Amino acid sequence: MNNKVHLPISYGRQEITEADERAVIGALRSDFLTQGPTVLEFEKAFASYIGAKYAVAVTNGTAALHLSCMALGVQAGKTVLTTPITFAASANSVLYCGGHVEFVDIDPRTYCIDVEQLEKTIAQNPSKYCGIIPVDYAGHPSDLPKIRDIAQRHGLWVLEDSCHAPGAQYSHLGKVFGCGSGEHSDLAIFSFHPVKHIATGEGGMVTTNDPVLYEKLKTLRTHGIVRDEDRLVHASHGGWYHEMQILGYNYRISDINCALGLSQLTRADAGIKRRRVIADYYNKHLSSSLVTPYVAPGTSHAYHLYVVQTPRRKELYDFLREHKIFCQVHYLPVYRHPYWEKLGNWRPCPEAEKFYDHCLSLPVYPSMTDAQLEYVVEKVNEFCRGK
Ligand SMILES: *Cc1c(COP(=O)(O)O)cnc(C)c1O
């Protein structure tokens, strides 16, 4: 059977169909390669999928974080709270704006930011902080209603890093909300890197329900330049006139990328469904030998990652690698990167440390075949039986 399995198997990968190819060719043959109608079309479709009012498409998830921090007013003298178990960009974006970061330990069950520790940290010095960046780690929603409540009581904003969680849901007071819907955050961001749920090559999105932040983000995305007559500072000089009002960037995404995104978006639900089938199979066959993911009551997991824990993580990683299964570790706590180490005397995060020592992301992506899935399970169990 094994010689029929397509190898190597990586922890995540994109799926490109013929419909995707046709969509990209359509964009290439259209009048606009960038700044055309497909960008707005993708934004509208994505906002509707996520359940938010507005969406702003940008070059990548990191640009989405950077612009969000700018729009929320991060600057020198401001301190933002986030989790250490995330991709470095979640925290880097605060530094881009001259702000400071403090890390709050993770909840050992969900691996998302621990809301009790978050509350305690803020209560010790409430005026020190301006905002919170929770991360829906692996596709499990952060405890957003509680985080929103803490933030509101202390006058902080919430920027949800939902890169792992388009399509994930949580419930609150009998209602169901989507990650990134903006019901319990000011802004939320997404990435369309090929390992994420929706691939555009490079790409990112900010979602919000706030019309003021929406306008600000659109201006910041294109150099801080304004063209709308009713938003000009100076009187218009004529039809050509536009003016730069704030220092922005060129973080625009092309119509080519957005055409691919639109096409991918039509398969988003099917992709999550497949990810959940894979996760259920892993749960069924691995939960007696490894720690499998916890899913909090009332939430549904998007399984960007399927993360297990084992004390023999390095041995398992090496064993699977020998069998052409390329897992990954998500993540080294951000404050342990050499650059970050030099920046501060970080508050200890024992749960994040323990998690980092034990975690491993097994392959999960929609185009993973049943044969590949069975092969991974067979190899993991072979390892666990002590072969
Ligand atoms: C992928 C990712 C990002 C950055 O997205 P890019 O598109 O690669 O810039 C930020 N945060 C998290 C949690 C991510 O997984």
Side-chain angles (χ1 to χ4, degrees):
M1 174 205 115
N2 288 355
N3 51 14
K4 271 192 263 161
V5 181
H6 187 266
L7 298 174
I9 306 170
S10 64
Y11 83 88
R13 68 161 289 147
Q14 74 278 13
E15 179 190 51
I16 300 294
T17 63
E18 278 177 24
D20 291 343
E21 290 171 8
R22 281 195 298 276
V24 170
I25 289 168
L28 290 172
R29 290 177 179 164
S30 77
D31 290 334
F32 295 93
L33 296 187
T34 190
Q35 294 178 280
T38 313
V39 179
L40 187 62
E41 209 184 319
F42 183 39
E43 289 172 339
K44 284 191 166 159
F46 190 81
S48 141
Y49 175 70
I50 291 301
K53 270 203 188 110
Y54 309 106
V56 179
V58 292
T59 36
N60 54 56
T62 304
L65 281 161
H66 185 187
L67 291 191
S68 295
C69 284
M70 286 180 81
L72 293 166
V74 177
Q75 53 183 281
K78 302 261 188 185
T79 302
V80 175
L81 294 155
T82 191
T83 163
I85 298 298
T86 184
F87 183 58
S90 316
N92 292 351
S93 58
V94 175
L95 301 188
Y96 296 160
C97 300
H100 287 284
V101 175
E102 278 187 26
F103 297 99
V104 174
D105 208 353
I106 56 164
D107 179 320
R109 288 174 313 167
T110 64
Y111 317 142
C112 296
I113 198 165
D114 182 322
V115 289
E116 274 169 37
Q117 304 253 7
L118 179 67
E119 170 103 72
K120 238 191 257 170
T121 305
I122 296 169
Q124 278 163 10
N125 194 351
S127 63
K128 183 177 183 185
Y129 305 104
C130 66
I132 307 164
I133 306 182
V135 177
D136 302 320
Y137 175 80
H140 190 292
S142 300
D143 192 345
L144 292 157
K146 266 206 196 121
I147 292 168
R148 179 54 148 192
D149 175 56
I150 295 169
Q152 271 174 344
R153 278 188 282 112
H154 296 283
L156 314 187
W157 46 255
V158 179
L159 164 56
E160 180 186 359
D161 184 333
S162 322
C163 283
H164 297 182
Q169 292 179 323
Y170 58 96
S171 52
H172 181 57
L173 304 174
K175 279 178 80 178
V176 176
F177 302 100
C179 282
S181 65
E183 288 290 337
H184 300 99
S185 65
D186 297 278
L187 298 175
I189 69 102
F190 297 87
S191 162
F192 307 125
H193 181 278
V195 296
K196 307 286 162 73
H197 288 66
I198 293 162
T200 63
E202 295 283 353
M205 194 77 85
V206 189
T207 54
T208 185
N209 294 324
D210 183 328
V212 177
L213 286 173
Y214 173 61
E215 288 301 328
K216 215 173 190 176
L217 287 164
K218 281 197 297 179
T219 306
L220 285 168
R221 168 178 64 179
T222 181
H223 310 282
I225 287 174
V226 172
R227 288 167 195 278
D228 278 0
E229 189 121 7
D230 50 350
R231 290 176 55 220
L232 295 177
V233 171
H234 296 315
S236 172
H237 302 175
W240 66 86
Y241 186 73
H242 57 268
E243 56 184 31
M244 190 194 122
Q245 295 182 346
I246 39 175
L247 185 61
Y249 292 84
N250 177 357
Y251 280 165
R252 294 187 304 258
I253 187 172
S254 79
D255 285 55
I256 308 165
N257 297 85
C258 289
L260 180 53
L262 264 172
S263 178
Q264 292 250 318
L265 192 56
T266 63
R267 298 196 310 279
D269 284 333
I272 294 229
K273 224 167 139 190
R274 177 65 185 155
R275 287 173 188 272
R276 289 185 180 141
V277 167
I278 292 169
D280 286 345
Y281 188 86
Y282 278 146
N283 288 341
K284 192 168 154 210
H285 292 90
L286 301 180
S287 57
S288 56
S289 29
L290 299 163
V291 179
T292 52
Y294 167 81
V295 183
T299 70
S300 65
H301 201 302
Y303 292 110
H304 160 57
L305 304 173
Y306 184 90
V307 182
V308 296
Q309 290 197 71
T310 165
R312 296 164 68 210
R313 190 267 313 278
K314 184 170 187 302
E315 292 88 332
L316 177 58
Y317 173 87
D318 290 339
F319 178 86
L320 294 175
R321 206 183 156 97
E322 274 164 38
H323 292 91
K324 299 224 166 359
I325 301 165
F326 296 107
C327 296
Q328 190 45 275
V329 168
H330 300 93
Y331 295 94
L332 175 70
V334 174
Y335 56 76
R336 284 182 58 181
H337 285 284
Y339 178 83
W340 278 91
E341 256 173 352
K342 281 187 243 145
L343 288 186
N345 232 333
W346 303 106
R347 168 187 306 123
C349 294
E351 294 299 342
E353 292 291 325
K354 207 167 21 167
F355 176 70
Y356 170 65
D357 286 341
H358 296 163
C359 69
L360 190 66
S361 305
L362 300 185
V364 56
Y365 49 92
S367 60
M368 187 179 187
T369 64
D370 286 347
Q372 287 177 318
L373 179 58
E374 285 159 20
Y375 175 74
V376 174
V377 164
E378 182 192 308
K379 289 299 160 196
V380 173
N381 278 328
E382 197 177 306
F383 173 84
C384 291
R385 280 195 306 269
K387 194 238 96 193

